[in-house]
Amino acid sequence: MSSVNRDVLTQYLDDLLKPEGFKDYCPNGLQVEGRDEIRSLVCGVTANQSLLDLALKSGADAILVHHGWFWRGENGAVTGIKRNRLKTLLANDINLYAYHLPLDAHPVLGNNAGLAKAAGWQQTGLFGEQNLGCIGTPVAGSTIKTLTDSLTKVLGRAPFVLAESMDQPVRRVAWCTGGAQSYFEAAIQAGADVFVTGEVSEPMVHLARETGVAYVAAGHHATERFGVQALGESIASQFGIKVTYLEVDSPV
């Protein structure tokens, strides 16, 4: 079975995703150091205990996620849940890689790129803080109904929709995966007819009603499965190691 040295994989990922170009809320890259040689890597959206246990059971040498650990402002004490998670990795010599905003934004392997490809949208520009939001054109003749029906099929869940009418035409769609509800105003200013993200919060209701721009919350987890899968495929192709995506579902 093929293997890759941990330091070689770390350099490959950092060169590919360029985390130094982002102001993020967590460290990007190798978050927990494990064994030197990696033959089997598991990908998942979030480094929760369920994913760690599945990775351990599968014999993984490393785990790659979008949502890792050590978030800005969190309690740094290694107790309770944090202790259990770290113990699982350290006791079994498993590496943990996490890439947050760099994986959202990558133009080919990123979550935004993956969502657009799956939905059939063509990106024409960027907007919002750090240019993390995307704007472009949907499938010709799209309405809010056809767009959300397509998302339901692609993501396997029905999105939450705020719209004046489901027959409202969509000529420009803006999107930013995950918890990007704060980008709604920038999407409106960019000329979008609809903004698609993962989550919704109360102020978005009034912005949608008062501007006539539709808002679609398609699921934080659901919209952010694309990046780790695409990145895992890239690793497998580059190094020939075993890469497996494991789904731990989340309703959010």
Side-chain angles (χ1 to χ4, degrees):
M1 182 184 296
S2 298
S3 69
V4 59
N5 180 269
R6 180 190 60 244
D7 294 340
V8 172
L9 179 57
T10 301
Q11 191 63 56
Y12 172 77
L13 292 171
D14 286 347
D15 288 345
L16 183 64
L17 297 175
K18 298 178 172 53
E20 68 278 1
F22 295 85
K23 291 176 61 178
D24 214 334
Y25 320 103
C26 61
N28 287 289
L30 182 64
Q31 290 193 335
V32 178
E33 185 178 292
R35 58 182 62 101
D36 292 338
E37 291 299 312
I38 298 170
R39 293 176 175 79
S40 176
L41 181 142
V42 158
C43 299
V45 177
T46 301
N48 52 55
Q49 190 66 52
S50 294
L51 181 67
L52 305 186
D53 292 342
L54 288 171
L56 176 60
K57 186 177 180 180
S58 76
D61 302 303
I63 300 170
L64 170 68
V65 296
H66 179 51
H67 300 137
W69 299 341
F70 315 117
W71 297 91
R72 183 192 306 162
E74 74 174 27
N75 189 332
V78 182
T79 60
I81 290 172
K82 183 179 289 185
R83 172 194 177 274
N84 294 337
R85 290 176 174 179
L86 276 168
K87 181 180 178 181
T88 301
L89 295 186
L90 295 174
N92 294 283
D93 215 15
I94 299 174
N95 297 278
L96 175 65
Y97 290 93
Y99 289 91
H100 186 231
L101 296 183
L103 190 53
D104 286 319
H106 193 277
V108 177
L109 304 177
N111 288 316
N112 283 332
L115 179 61
K117 182 179 179 180
W121 306 335
Q122 297 297 317
Q123 180 184 324
T124 58
L126 299 170
F127 72 95
E129 185 180 357
Q130 301 190 70
N131 276 331
L132 290 171
C134 300
I135 192 162
T137 56
V139 175
S142 287
T143 64
I144 298 298
K145 184 180 188 310
T146 62
L147 185 143
T148 54
D149 284 349
S150 174
L151 285 174
T152 299
K153 183 177 180 180
V154 165
L155 300 176
R157 55 172 287 166
F160 174 84
V161 183
L162 295 168
E164 291 183 334
S165 168
M166 294 301 287
D167 294 326
Q168 181 178 331
V170 178
R171 298 178 182 86
R172 298 193 79 194
V173 55
W175 68 97
C176 189
T177 63
Q181 52 266 59
S182 64
Y183 280 55
F184 189 26
E185 285 190 80
I188 294 168
Q189 293 170 3
D193 299 306
V194 60
F195 177 57
V196 179
T197 186
E199 298 184 24
V200 63
S201 53
E202 196 271 347
M204 306 309 110
V205 175
H206 311 293
L207 279 173
R209 287 174 178 171
E210 294 171 24
T211 63
V213 177
Y215 186 101
V216 176
H220 193 137
H221 175 92
T223 59
E224 295 198 323
R225 291 181 291 208
F226 300 101
V228 288
Q229 294 186 64
L231 188 55
E233 291 172 2
S234 173
I235 293 168
S237 176
Q238 180 72 19
F239 299 108
I241 66 171
K242 178 183 177 183
V243 177
T244 306
Y245 172 76
L246 297 178
E247 172 74 359
V248 178
D249 188 40
S250 169
V252 175

